[in-house]
Amino acid sequence: MSIRVSDLMRGRLENNALKFMPGTRDGLMVNGGGFQGKTETACNAAAIFEDLWRSVHQQVLPDQLQLPGTRDVFVPVAYCRLPVRATPKALCKTILDIYGDPHPKHLDDLIRSVRDAVRDHETTALLIDDVTRLRLHRGDDQDTLGLVRELMDQNVTLVLIGVDIPNSGLLRGAYIDPRTKQWVFPDVKRGKSHNEAASTQTERRFDMVDLDPFDYTTPAGITAFLDHLAGIEDQLRLFRSFDGMLTRGEMPEYLFRRTHGIVGLLRRLIEDGCTEAIASREERLTPELLARTSIRLGNLADLDPGEVPEIPPNVQPPKKPRRGHNTVFDDHGKQQAADG
């Protein structure tokens, strides 16, 4: 799933960056639950694009942008988080902080400074995280969303990242184009727009891509989960680790039951399990050791309630079957004994 998100995002950024005609660039919305790796996946894809775009522009950027000892004013990709209390002023200040630019006092000057910064720094992609903090029953939030959409007129690709975007209210007034399958946002009403050119635009389009938990009900889903576990296993450096430590026997199913396939919970469980394995000198991961390890998410003060997933209850590994018996599971995954 992260590969699908990355491929779509890099393709969108590259295609939009090569458009030199004026006009609105199609955006992208990355949707998913908490601890699903949305921000990490999006930022990694954006970093790959930035490396490519910098290598291309080393030959065509003005010489003064590459003078030694000067601040790098070429910013192909910019990332920020939507302020908790979203207002057009707060968002403008957050974006200006990316570039280290001062904050004018008045809103019109702030918006003008943002436009100038995006243009002068030749930013082609702007990632805005936690966009579902917007609650559109507030006027300030509605104005902030209008400003976000109008930034697309700056020849910049907007990537909006959030939790449960379809049910957040952000798509209010939007509809799916049956031909392109994109979300289409009607233009901001005349008189409420911060963009004097907005009346010449008719729509703004976004693709939405979901980043879901791993699936353990289909062969393809199980294979993807095992591949992910194999990648984690290759990075572990426990003294008594062995091939298949995470991918063989009862371990894959146990890990899925403990985390429900949520990437962030899986990572936290394995990290804390490694700490326990080192402290106890077992130096390997087993279901029995992980059963003693609780999933603790640490400091969540900067996360919204929707970003915190429900932690599955701690489960004990299945007991070894008695000799002469086979192990079977009922429909709820509970272990039963059957005569061999």
PDB file of all heavy atoms in Angstrom, residues 9-28:
ATOM      1  N   MET A   9       2.171   9.430  -5.766  1.00  0.00           N
ATOM      2  CA  MET A   9       2.599  10.762  -5.355  1.00  0.00           C
ATOM      3  C   MET A   9       3.793  11.238  -6.174  1.00  0.00           C
ATOM      4  O   MET A   9       3.811  12.380  -6.655  1.00  0.00           O
ATOM      5  CB  MET A   9       2.946  10.746  -3.863  1.00  0.00           C
ATOM      6  CG  MET A   9       3.326  12.103  -3.325  1.00  0.00           C
ATOM      7  SD  MET A   9       3.503  12.067  -1.532  1.00  0.00           S
ATOM      8  CE  MET A   9       4.328  13.644  -1.269  1.00  0.00           C
ATOM      9  N   ARG A  10       4.792  10.375  -6.369  1.00  0.00           N
ATOM     10  CA  ARG A  10       5.954  10.797  -7.156  1.00  0.00           C
ATOM     11  C   ARG A  10       5.553  11.098  -8.596  1.00  0.00           C
ATOM     12  O   ARG A  10       6.032  12.066  -9.199  1.00  0.00           O
ATOM     13  CB  ARG A  10       7.041   9.729  -7.107  1.00  0.00           C
ATOM     14  CG  ARG A  10       7.715   9.572  -5.763  1.00  0.00           C
ATOM     15  CD  ARG A  10       9.063   8.905  -5.897  1.00  0.00           C
ATOM     16  NE  ARG A  10       8.957   7.586  -6.500  1.00  0.00           N
ATOM     17  CZ  ARG A  10       8.802   6.454  -5.812  1.00  0.00           C
ATOM     18  NH1 ARG A  10       8.720   6.514  -4.481  1.00  0.00           N
ATOM     19  NH2 ARG A  10       8.732   5.290  -6.411  1.00  0.00           N
ATOM     20  N   GLY A  11       4.665  10.260  -9.150  1.00  0.00           N
ATOM     21  CA  GLY A  11       4.201  10.518 -10.504  1.00  0.00           C
ATOM     22  C   GLY A  11       3.474  11.842 -10.623  1.00  0.00           C
ATOM     23  O   GLY A  11       3.675  12.596 -11.588  1.00  0.00           O
ATOM     24  N   ARG A  12       2.628  12.152  -9.637  1.00  0.00           N
ATOM     25  CA  ARG A  12       1.889  13.418  -9.665  1.00  0.00           C
ATOM     26  C   ARG A  12       2.831  14.609  -9.536  1.00  0.00           C
ATOM     27  O   ARG A  12       2.706  15.598 -10.253  1.00  0.00           O
ATOM     28  CB  ARG A  12       0.845  13.421  -8.534  1.00  0.00           C
ATOM     29  CG  ARG A  12       0.014  14.695  -8.378  1.00  0.00           C
ATOM     30  CD  ARG A  12      -0.783  15.013  -9.637  1.00  0.00           C
ATOM     31  NE  ARG A  12      -1.496  13.842 -10.123  1.00  0.00           N
ATOM     32  CZ  ARG A  12      -2.681  13.457  -9.653  1.00  0.00           C
ATOM     33  NH1 ARG A  12      -3.288  14.144  -8.699  1.00  0.00           N
ATOM     34  NH2 ARG A  12      -3.273  12.392 -10.151  1.00  0.00           N
ATOM     35  N   LEU A  13       3.805  14.521  -8.623  1.00  0.00           N
ATOM     36  CA  LEU A  13       4.748  15.622  -8.445  1.00  0.00           C
ATOM     37  C   LEU A  13       5.587  15.840  -9.695  1.00  0.00           C
ATOM     38  O   LEU A  13       5.808  16.984 -10.118  1.00  0.00           O
ATOM     39  CB  LEU A  13       5.657  15.347  -7.243  1.00  0.00           C
ATOM     40  CG  LEU A  13       4.974  15.280  -5.867  1.00  0.00           C
ATOM     41  CD1 LEU A  13       6.011  15.026  -4.779  1.00  0.00           C
ATOM     42  CD2 LEU A  13       4.201  16.556  -5.580  1.00  0.00           C
ATOM     43  N   GLU A  14       6.074  14.766 -10.298  1.00  0.00           N
ATOM     44  CA  GLU A  14       6.907  14.905 -11.491  1.00  0.00           C
ATOM     45  C   GLU A  14       6.112  15.456 -12.667  1.00  0.00           C
ATOM     46  O   GLU A  14       6.580  16.356 -13.384  1.00  0.00           O
ATOM     47  CB  GLU A  14       7.527  13.553 -11.847  1.00  0.00           C
ATOM     48  CG  GLU A  14       8.550  13.054 -10.824  1.00  0.00           C
ATOM     49  CD  GLU A  14       8.987  11.631 -11.095  1.00  0.00           C
ATOM     50  OE1 GLU A  14       8.668  11.110 -12.199  1.00  0.00           O
ATOM     51  OE2 GLU A  14       9.646  11.033 -10.223  1.00  0.00           O
ATOM     52  N   ASN A  15       4.905  14.943 -12.872  1.00  0.00           N
ATOM     53  CA  ASN A  15       4.096  15.412 -14.000  1.00  0.00           C
ATOM     54  C   ASN A  15       3.722  16.878 -13.840  1.00  0.00           C
ATOM     55  O   ASN A  15       3.790  17.665 -14.805  1.00  0.00           O
ATOM     56  CB  ASN A  15       2.830  14.563 -14.130  1.00  0.00           C
ATOM     57  CG  ASN A  15       3.129  13.153 -14.592  1.00  0.00           C
ATOM     58  OD1 ASN A  15       4.160  12.902 -15.222  1.00  0.00           O
ATOM     59  ND2 ASN A  15       2.229  12.223 -14.288  1.00  0.00           N
ATOM     60  N   ASN A  16       3.313  17.270 -12.636  1.00  0.00           N
ATOM     61  CA  ASN A  16       2.932  18.664 -12.414  1.00  0.00           C
ATOM     62  C   ASN A  16       4.125  19.595 -12.511  1.00  0.00           C
ATOM     63  O   ASN A  16       4.008  20.736 -12.978  1.00  0.00           O
ATOM     64  CB  ASN A  16       2.269  18.819 -11.056  1.00  0.00           C
ATOM     65  CG  ASN A  16       0.853  18.281 -11.040  1.00  0.00           C
ATOM     66  OD1 ASN A  16       0.296  17.931 -12.077  1.00  0.00           O
ATOM     67  ND2 ASN A  16       0.257  18.209  -9.862  1.00  0.00           N
ATOM     68  N   ALA A  17       5.302  19.136 -12.057  1.00  0.00           N
ATOM     69  CA  ALA A  17       6.492  19.993 -12.112  1.00  0.00           C
ATOM     70  C   ALA A  17       6.904  20.293 -13.546  1.00  0.00           C
ATOM     71  O   ALA A  17       7.534  21.326 -13.820  1.00  0.00           O
ATOM     72  CB  ALA A  17       7.648  19.331 -11.367  1.00  0.00           C
ATOM     73  N   LEU A  18       6.564  19.412 -14.477  1.00  0.00           N
ATOM     74  CA  LEU A  18       6.941  19.595 -15.878  1.00  0.00           C
ATOM     75  C   LEU A  18       5.892  20.355 -16.673  1.00  0.00           C
ATOM     76  O   LEU A  18       6.049  20.519 -17.889  1.00  0.00           O
ATOM     77  CB  LEU A  18       7.185  18.226 -16.529  1.00  0.00           C
ATOM     78  CG  LEU A  18       8.384  17.448 -15.981  1.00  0.00           C
ATOM     79  CD1 LEU A  18       8.433  16.048 -16.565  1.00  0.00           C
ATOM     80  CD2 LEU A  18       9.687  18.198 -16.279  1.00  0.00           C
ATOM     81  N   LYS A  19       4.853  20.834 -15.995  1.00  0.00           N
ATOM     82  CA  LYS A  19       3.847  21.667 -16.667  1.00  0.00           C
ATOM     83  C   LYS A  19       4.248  23.132 -16.513  1.00  0.00           C
ATOM     84  O   LYS A  19       4.359  23.634 -15.391  1.00  0.00           O
ATOM     85  CB  LYS A  19       2.466  21.434 -16.056  1.00  0.00           C
ATOM     86  CG  LYS A  19       1.916  20.035 -16.292  1.00  0.00           C
ATOM     87  CD  LYS A  19       0.556  19.876 -15.619  1.00  0.00           C
ATOM     88  CE  LYS A  19      -0.002  18.473 -15.834  1.00  0.00           C
ATOM     89  NZ  LYS A  19      -1.310  18.282 -15.157  1.00  0.00           N
ATOM     90  N   PHE A  20       4.464  23.791 -17.607  1.00  0.00           N
ATOM     91  CA  PHE A  20       4.927  25.179 -17.557  1.00  0.00           C
ATOM     92  C   PHE A  20       3.832  26.165 -17.944  1.00  0.00           C
ATOM     93  O   PHE A  20       4.048  27.368 -17.884  1.00  0.00           O
ATOM     94  CB  PHE A  20       6.138  25.359 -18.470  1.00  0.00           C
ATOM     95  CG  PHE A  20       7.312  24.505 -18.063  1.00  0.00           C
ATOM     96  CD1 PHE A  20       7.613  23.336 -18.742  1.00  0.00           C
ATOM     97  CD2 PHE A  20       8.095  24.862 -16.979  1.00  0.00           C
ATOM     98  CE1 PHE A  20       8.685  22.547 -18.359  1.00  0.00           C
ATOM     99  CE2 PHE A  20       9.170  24.071 -16.581  1.00  0.00           C
ATOM    100  CZ  PHE A  20       9.463  22.916 -17.276  1.00  0.00           C
ATOM    101  N   MET A  21       2.669  25.670 -18.337  1.00  0.00           N
ATOM    102  CA  MET A  21       1.552  26.554 -18.630  1.00  0.00           C
ATOM    103  C   MET A  21       0.872  26.961 -17.327  1.00  0.00           C
ATOM    104  O   MET A  21       0.818  26.178 -16.377  1.00  0.00           O
ATOM    105  CB  MET A  21       0.548  25.844 -19.543  1.00  0.00           C
ATOM    106  CG  MET A  21       1.103  25.475 -20.909  1.00  0.00           C
ATOM    107  SD  MET A  21       1.524  26.929 -21.891  1.00  0.00           S
ATOM    108  CE  MET A  21      -0.121  27.587 -22.192  1.00  0.00           C
ATOM    109  N   PRO A  22       0.363  28.178 -17.240  1.00  0.00           N
ATOM    110  CA  PRO A  22      -0.340  28.587 -16.027  1.00  0.00           C
ATOM    111  C   PRO A  22      -1.624  27.789 -15.856  1.00  0.00           C
ATOM    112  O   PRO A  22      -2.250  27.357 -16.821  1.00  0.00           O
ATOM    113  CB  PRO A  22      -0.623  30.074 -16.272  1.00  0.00           C
ATOM    114  CG  PRO A  22      -0.619  30.221 -17.761  1.00  0.00           C
ATOM    115  CD  PRO A  22       0.404  29.238 -18.264  1.00  0.00           C
ATOM    116  N   GLY A  23      -2.022  27.598 -14.618  1.00  0.00           N
ATOM    117  CA  GLY A  23      -3.244  26.852 -14.339  1.00  0.00           C
ATOM    118  C   GLY A  23      -3.124  26.072 -13.054  1.00  0.00           C
ATOM    119  O   GLY A  23      -2.050  25.940 -12.466  1.00  0.00           O
ATOM    120  N   THR A  24      -4.265  25.552 -12.605  1.00  0.00           N
ATOM    121  CA  THR A  24      -4.315  24.808 -11.359  1.00  0.00           C
ATOM    122  C   THR A  24      -3.735  23.416 -11.546  1.00  0.00           C
ATOM    123  O   THR A  24      -4.052  22.725 -12.506  1.00  0.00           O
ATOM    124  CB  THR A  24      -5.769  24.699 -10.870  1.00  0.00           C
ATOM    125  OG1 THR A  24      -6.292  26.017 -10.675  1.00  0.00           O
ATOM    126  CG2 THR A  24      -5.849  23.928  -9.577  1.00  0.00           C
ATOM    127  N   ARG A  25      -2.864  23.019 -10.618  1.00  0.00           N
ATOM    128  CA  ARG A  25      -2.283  21.682 -10.637  1.00  0.00           C
ATOM    129  C   ARG A  25      -3.150  20.738  -9.808  1.00  0.00           C
ATOM    130  O   ARG A  25      -3.573  21.078  -8.706  1.00  0.00           O
ATOM    131  CB  ARG A  25      -0.854  21.697 -10.061  1.00  0.00           C
ATOM    132  CG  ARG A  25       0.096  22.688 -10.736  1.00  0.00           C
ATOM    133  CD  ARG A  25       0.400  22.266 -12.168  1.00  0.00           C
ATOM    134  NE  ARG A  25       1.457  23.079 -12.744  1.00  0.00           N
ATOM    135  CZ  ARG A  25       1.262  24.055 -13.614  1.00  0.00           C
ATOM    136  NH1 ARG A  25       0.031  24.373 -13.992  1.00  0.00           N
ATOM    137  NH2 ARG A  25       2.283  24.723 -14.130  1.00  0.00           N
ATOM    138  N   ASP A  26      -3.403  19.551 -10.330  1.00  0.00           N
ATOM    139  CA  ASP A  26      -4.173  18.564  -9.567  1.00  0.00           C
ATOM    140  C   ASP A  26      -3.429  18.201  -8.291  1.00  0.00           C
ATOM    141  O   ASP A  26      -2.210  17.989  -8.303  1.00  0.00           O
ATOM    142  CB  ASP A  26      -4.394  17.308 -10.404  1.00  0.00           C
ATOM    143  CG  ASP A  26      -5.373  17.538 -11.543  1.00  0.00           C
ATOM    144  OD1 ASP A  26      -5.959  18.633 -11.596  1.00  0.00           O
ATOM    145  OD2 ASP A  26      -5.538  16.631 -12.368  1.00  0.00           O
ATOM    146  N   GLY A  27      -4.172  18.098  -7.198  1.00  0.00           N
ATOM    147  CA  GLY A  27      -3.570  17.787  -5.908  1.00  0.00           C
ATOM    148  C   GLY A  27      -3.756  16.329  -5.531  1.00  0.00           C
ATOM    149  O   GLY A  27      -4.274  15.513  -6.296  1.00  0.00           O
ATOM    150  N   LEU A  28      -3.342  16.018  -4.306  1.00  0.00           N
ATOM    151  CA  LEU A  28      -3.406  14.652  -3.805  1.00  0.00           C
ATOM    152  C   LEU A  28      -3.763  14.680  -2.330  1.00  0.00           C
ATOM    153  O   LEU A  28      -3.243  15.509  -1.575  1.00  0.00           O
ATOM    154  CB  LEU A  28      -2.055  13.953  -4.011  1.00  0.00           C
ATOM    155  CG  LEU A  28      -1.979  12.462  -3.697  1.00  0.00           C
ATOM    156  CD1 LEU A  28      -2.853  11.671  -4.662  1.00  0.00           C
ATOM    157  CD2 LEU A  28      -0.538  11.981  -3.779  1.00  0.00           C
TER     158      LEU A  28
END
